[in-house]
Amino acid sequence: MSWHSHSVRRADKNELKRVFLKYASVKEDGEQFMSVSDFVCKFLQILDEGNPNEETLHRLGAMADTTQDDLISFTEFRSFESLLCSPDAVNQMAFKMFDLDNVGKVSYGNFKKVLSATTLCQAVPFDFECTFVKQYFGHDKSHGLDYYEFSQLLQNLPTEHARQAFRLRDKDQSGTIPAVEFVDLMTKIRGFRLSEHVQDHLLSVAGGSTGRRVSYPYFKAFNQMLGNLALFRNVVQAVCDHEGKATQVQLLRESQKYPQITPLQVSLLFELCSIDHPTGNIDMDEFRKLLPWPHEVAKPSASSPNEKEIESKKSFGK
């Protein structure tokens, strides 16, 4: 997902058509179509074209295949592009994937079916009998979630999953887990949010040795810090613009503008930024090493988007 939160401009119809035809391998009655495999494996490049899981393939293809005939017309492809341009594209895509019955509601059964099939849940099991699930779907799990309710669930789901994962590894119920378990857990549940720099120093920030233990407050703060990188960018930028570099105390003072940021998060971020060069202050270059994407997305130009820009939209969920 992009760094900035803004909607993307619609593509020029002719440019979009060229992209569509590049991947459309099926021709019926003189009309070109993308197969589900064309869309998911070749255009989105989410699954390996060699041997994709059929159920996952069709579930992802349903994001654009509104007629559910395993073929995607240019009209459907254009509707998909329109959805990608919306400011809540990720939530909209997720809702379409979980609304298997295409009724505008996500049932408990479909929620469980889709989530259970993800690689994350296969690696780190999710307890579907937990209070969290019952709060959303009801005690008897009969309540269906509309788009807005589902979006709220989606927002809170990673926190609940992380809490469950920590509890499963806290074998003696001490409120702590071994540092090596912390590294493994972060890699599995937050791998997509870990830059190479963060991955390389996970054990170091967990105490520096496999014999150390990580508390739940530390684990939770680390996850929240990763989720608040957009806010931290504002914090670090504000201090560096004024001072050139930022000390931990200056970051803590500036972070008071954001109630989502805690002192422990500031401490963790400062440690990660300065771990290679512990000089007592950090700059924006050191902060950028924490970002899981190499560069911030540039603001769109005033000209019409070209084919390269259109294709870049397909990375919305990676």
Side-chain angles (χ1 to χ4, degrees):
M1 290 184 289
S2 68
W3 174 261
H4 299 285
S5 178
H6 61 267
S7 57
V8 182
R9 292 170 305 131
R10 291 298 307 276
D12 175 80
K13 185 177 180 180
N14 292 328
E15 293 284 356
L16 192 63
K17 185 75 170 184
R18 277 193 281 273
V19 173
F20 174 78
L21 292 176
K22 178 179 178 180
Y23 297 97
S25 66
V26 180
K27 189 171 184 178
E28 289 190 2
D29 299 326
E31 185 178 354
Q32 291 292 137
F33 296 88
M34 278 188 187
S35 67
V36 171
S37 180
D38 291 336
F39 177 70
V40 175
C41 301
K42 295 180 180 178
F43 175 67
L44 293 179
Q45 298 179 9
I46 294 177
L47 297 180
D48 183 5
E49 188 178 1
N51 187 30
N53 179 281
E54 286 297 318
E55 183 178 0
T56 304
L57 178 67
H58 285 85
R59 191 167 291 153
L60 292 170
M63 291 189 294
D65 181 19
T66 57
T67 55
Q68 299 182 355
D69 59 358
D70 292 336
L71 293 175
I72 297 166
S73 67
F74 177 64
T75 299
E76 289 174 312
F77 184 70
R78 198 176 182 204
S79 295
F80 175 76
E81 186 265 349
S82 175
L83 193 56
L84 286 187
C85 291
S86 66
D88 58 344
V90 173
N91 283 334
Q92 291 277 6
M93 290 295 100
F95 185 74
K96 288 175 70 71
M97 288 177 62
F98 280 81
D99 181 17
L100 299 179
D101 302 321
N102 199 27
V103 295
K105 295 271 189 178
V106 174
S107 67
Y108 165 74
N110 286 340
F111 169 72
K112 182 177 181 180
K113 183 177 182 180
V114 175
L115 195 63
S116 297
T118 63
T119 53
L120 174 58
C121 277
Q122 290 172 5
V124 184
F126 184 83
D127 177 14
F128 289 94
E129 297 302 318
C130 64
T131 301
F132 173 85
V133 168
K134 293 176 182 178
Q135 286 175 329
Y136 280 92
F137 292 97
H139 186 75
D140 60 356
K141 305 183 183 73
S142 62
H143 177 67
L145 304 182
D146 63 23
Y147 168 71
Y148 294 104
E149 292 172 321
F150 176 76
S151 298
Q152 189 61 45
L153 177 146
L154 209 60
Q155 175 74 21
N156 297 328
L157 182 61
T159 299
E160 171 63 19
H161 199 176
R163 185 191 67 79
Q164 291 184 15
F166 186 95
R167 184 185 63 193
L168 285 173
R169 297 185 182 221
D170 181 12
K171 303 297 185 183
D172 59 0
Q173 297 185 334
S174 65
T176 64
I177 60 175
V180 66
E181 292 278 3
F182 168 77
V183 172
D184 182 64
L185 193 52
M186 290 304 304
T187 302
K188 286 180 176 177
I189 69 172
R190 293 291 183 269
F192 65 99
R193 281 188 171 175
L194 303 180
S195 67
E196 183 177 351
H197 176 80
V198 174
Q199 290 185 59
D200 289 344
H201 294 96
L202 277 175
L203 186 59
S204 296
V205 297
S209 69
T210 57
R212 294 295 185 95
R213 298 185 70 84
V214 174
S215 69
Y216 181 69
Y218 186 101
F219 170 76
K220 187 171 183 178
F222 196 92
N223 278 274
Q224 290 175 333
M225 181 269 295
L226 293 175
N228 286 334
L229 285 178
L231 297 181
F232 269 114
R233 179 192 182 279
N234 296 338
V235 171
V236 178
Q237 186 75 66
V239 177
C240 289
D241 282 349
H242 189 263
E243 303 290 343
K245 290 193 173 185
T247 66
Q248 184 171 334
V249 172
Q250 289 170 327
L251 293 181
L252 184 59
R253 184 181 300 116
E254 182 68 23
S255 71
Q256 298 307 301
K257 298 177 181 178
Y258 304 96
Q260 304 95 319
I261 296 177
T262 65
L264 181 51
Q265 290 178 49
V266 174
S267 175
L268 291 169
L269 179 125
F270 191 85
E271 182 178 0
L272 278 169
C273 289
S274 60
I275 199 164
D276 290 333
H277 304 96
T279 59
N281 51 51
I282 63 171
D283 57 26
M284 282 301 297
D285 287 337
E286 288 169 318
F287 168 76
R288 290 189 185 99
K289 293 188 295 185
L290 274 58
L291 303 180
W293 43 90
H295 302 288
E296 294 180 22
V297 177
K299 293 182 179 179
S301 63
S303 59
S304 298
N306 57 30
E307 182 173 330
K308 184 177 180 181
E309 289 175 309
I310 295 168
E311 291 209 58
S312 72
K313 292 178 186 176
K314 68 190 180 184
S315 65
F316 70 98
K318 294 183 181 181

